[in-house]
Amino acid sequence: MDGLSESAVRPGLRPTVGLVLTGGGARSAYQVGVLLALAEFLPRSRNPFQVIVGTSAGAVAASVLAAEAHQWRRAVAGLERVWANFRSGQVFHVDTPHMLRAGAHWVLSLVSGGLVLSPPRSMLDNSPLRELLGVHVDCSGIRRSIARGHLRAFALCSTSYSGGHSVAFYDGIDSLRDWSRVQRMGRRTDFSLDHLMASAAIPLLFPPIKLGDDYFGDGAMRQLHPLSPAIHLGADRLLIVGVRARRAAGVNVSRANVLMPSPGEIFGYMLDTLFTDQIYGDLEQLERINELVRSAPQAAHGERSVETLMLAPSVDPREIAARHVSAMPGGLRALLRVIAGREGSSSQLASYLMFEAPYTRALIELGYRDAMQARVALTAFMSGEKLPQVMTAPGVAQAT
């Protein structure tokens, strides 16, 4: 974990609270529900997050919040309208003609060894996502939010395929500087839709995006320290909104030791690992650093204590996805059946790919409910107060 002397908390000043939105595909609807609750019970006078960092699908919501930091409640309401009325076709082509053409392309490429047709750039065509982002995300608004003092810094994370490192593309106040650490760096930039598309380019599913002379993919790859960008950008407290229920990291528990995992279960497991595992590891490391700073500040070598609060689903999104499988388009259901290999084994993968209103609305409601149940802790955390020693709200974890 990295410390910044410039952003250390000074006595008597309100802490700089950072928001970290992890990746999670369709599960990111949960984050929108949490934001709805925050918009309802936090003071209405200002944007509560001076630092906003997003990765993959979390980068999309983070970009909207950053671009409209001067009216962040309206931004949250806009996010809720989009996510509550989602269709998979707004993210990738799932109609039968597209799916058949994609399947034929893969078969011809495989049979011919790439001589008749080169391999497709990806399994799915996510050009509809670019169109959607072009309508709802004003990238130039991010710079305006910073220039007008509504936001200290914003970053979205992507992964360089040629360099093999995690890049936090950021913009912020003039005093912030680029950084470079092992396998990760921060690079100031003027944001465009390409940066968003690159951050959300899930490997294999979506094509890489070229930025400058390099191709980039999903920001969760190689992101060994997902909390680091927010700390570099000056956050003293971090609110992290995750998308995986605690103790829900494996494949279908009821069958895990009975049947070999299907390809669909393994692919869903891969996405789960990609989006979530690093967050919990980074939280554990930050907790150790905080303890060192408190107990032996002379040995901390410039590190500083950064309090965190994480909110994650109190109900496993796989269970919610399993209840809404019928809402998926036929082409997507067929793809999942082919990958899964057997009935009922694709709920984990579906929970990341099901951009359908019945499912996303259920996740929004869950996020709203979880945040409301954690209202006391969240209010204290956002205002800089000391948190209670024991917090019983579902989905809440703290490292202090």
Side-chain angles (χ1 to χ4, degrees):
M1 193 61 60
D2 308 288
L4 289 177
S5 58
E6 174 205 351
S7 57
V9 178
R10 287 169 289 173
L13 291 183
R14 192 184 188 93
T16 299
V17 182
L19 174 67
V20 178
L21 298 178
T22 68
R27 289 190 183 195
S28 293
Y30 175 84
Q31 298 170 334
V32 176
V34 172
L35 291 169
L36 278 174
L38 289 171
E40 183 173 318
F41 62 71
L42 289 180
R44 306 183 66 84
S45 58
R46 65 183 180 87
N47 166 33
F49 303 107
Q50 281 297 296
V51 176
I52 300 175
V53 176
T55 298
S56 196
V60 176
S63 298
V64 173
L65 294 176
E68 301 184 40
H70 62 295
Q71 47 191 9
W72 82 282
R73 282 175 178 76
R74 193 175 81 171
V76 171
L79 286 170
E80 193 272 339
R81 283 194 299 273
V82 172
W83 280 91
N85 296 283
F86 240 134
R87 302 185 312 277
S88 296
Q90 294 175 289
V91 180
F92 44 80
H93 287 296
V94 292
D95 56 283
T96 300
H98 270 94
M99 300 297 280
L100 288 176
R101 283 198 298 271
H105 192 154
W106 279 104
V107 170
L108 282 174
S109 175
L110 178 64
V111 170
S112 68
L115 297 177
V116 176
L117 280 175
S118 59
R121 297 176 64 213
S122 59
M123 288 180 61
L124 299 172
D125 176 1
N126 65 340
S127 56
L129 177 60
R130 177 178 286 273
E131 297 175 14
L132 182 70
L133 295 179
V135 172
H136 293 283
V137 181
D138 176 15
C139 291
S140 63
I142 297 171
R143 170 94 303 259
R144 288 196 299 271
S145 293
I146 295 166
R148 295 173 182 176
H150 301 295
L151 187 69
R152 174 186 171 89
F154 165 75
L156 59 79
C157 301
S158 192
T159 304
S160 164
Y161 277 113
S162 64
H165 45 258
S166 174
V167 179
F169 293 103
Y170 77 93
D171 195 5
I173 60 175
D174 293 341
S175 60
L176 294 174
R177 296 290 181 265
D178 292 359
W179 65 88
S180 180
R181 300 291 187 272
V182 176
Q183 288 192 319
R184 66 189 192 276
M185 64 176 59
R187 184 187 303 173
R188 188 183 289 269
T189 192
D190 293 323
F191 286 103
S192 69
L193 288 182
D194 283 338
H195 292 90
L196 276 177
M197 293 296 291
S199 183
I202 301 173
L204 298 181
L205 289 180
F206 300 148
I209 300 296
K210 190 173 185 181
L211 298 172
D213 297 326
D214 197 356
Y215 282 94
F216 287 81
D218 195 284
M221 298 186 294
R222 292 292 177 93
Q223 195 180 38
L224 302 179
H225 298 282
L227 304 182
S228 174
I231 297 173
H232 271 291
L233 295 174
D236 304 309
R237 285 191 165 196
L238 297 180
L239 175 63
I240 305 116
V241 186
V243 297
R244 185 176 77 195
R246 299 189 179 280
R247 296 179 296 277
V251 296
N252 192 320
V253 176
S254 63
R255 300 182 311 179
N257 297 319
V258 179
L259 299 174
M260 179 185 295
S262 71
E265 286 175 318
I266 293 174
F267 198 6
Y269 183 87
M270 182 197 76
L271 292 181
D272 199 59
T273 301
L274 179 72
F275 290 133
T276 305
D277 280 4
Q278 295 92 333
I279 282 286
Y280 288 106
D282 216 14
L283 281 169
E284 183 177 340
Q285 180 178 350
L286 183 56
E287 188 171 2
R288 290 197 296 268
I289 291 175
N290 288 344
E291 180 60 32
L292 174 64
V293 170
R294 285 193 298 266
S295 61
Q298 71 281 0
H301 302 296
E303 298 288 357
R304 58 192 174 87
S305 178
V306 177
E307 288 188 295
T308 66
L309 189 67
M310 182 171 180
L311 199 63
S314 59
V315 178
D316 192 339
R318 292 177 297 184
E319 299 176 12
I320 301 174
R323 298 198 295 266
H324 295 284
V325 170
S326 61
M328 285 192 296
L332 185 56
R333 285 204 306 271
L335 175 64
L336 291 182
R337 281 198 300 271
V338 170
I339 297 176
R342 58 176 176 263
E343 187 69 25
S345 66
S346 63
S347 60
Q348 189 166 37
L349 182 56
S351 71
Y352 287 103
L353 298 182
M354 196 189 306
F355 292 91
E356 297 295 331
Y359 173 61
T360 57
R361 286 175 184 169
L363 287 180
I364 290 172
E365 292 171 2
L366 176 62
Y368 178 86
R369 185 169 65 248
D370 284 354
M372 280 300 184
Q373 290 181 317
R375 178 171 181 167
V376 172
L378 286 168
T379 302
F381 186 80
M382 297 298 296
S383 63
E385 298 173 11
K386 185 175 179 60
L387 294 177
Q389 291 297 314
V390 179
M391 294 182 293
T392 58
V396 174
Q398 177 189 4
T400 60

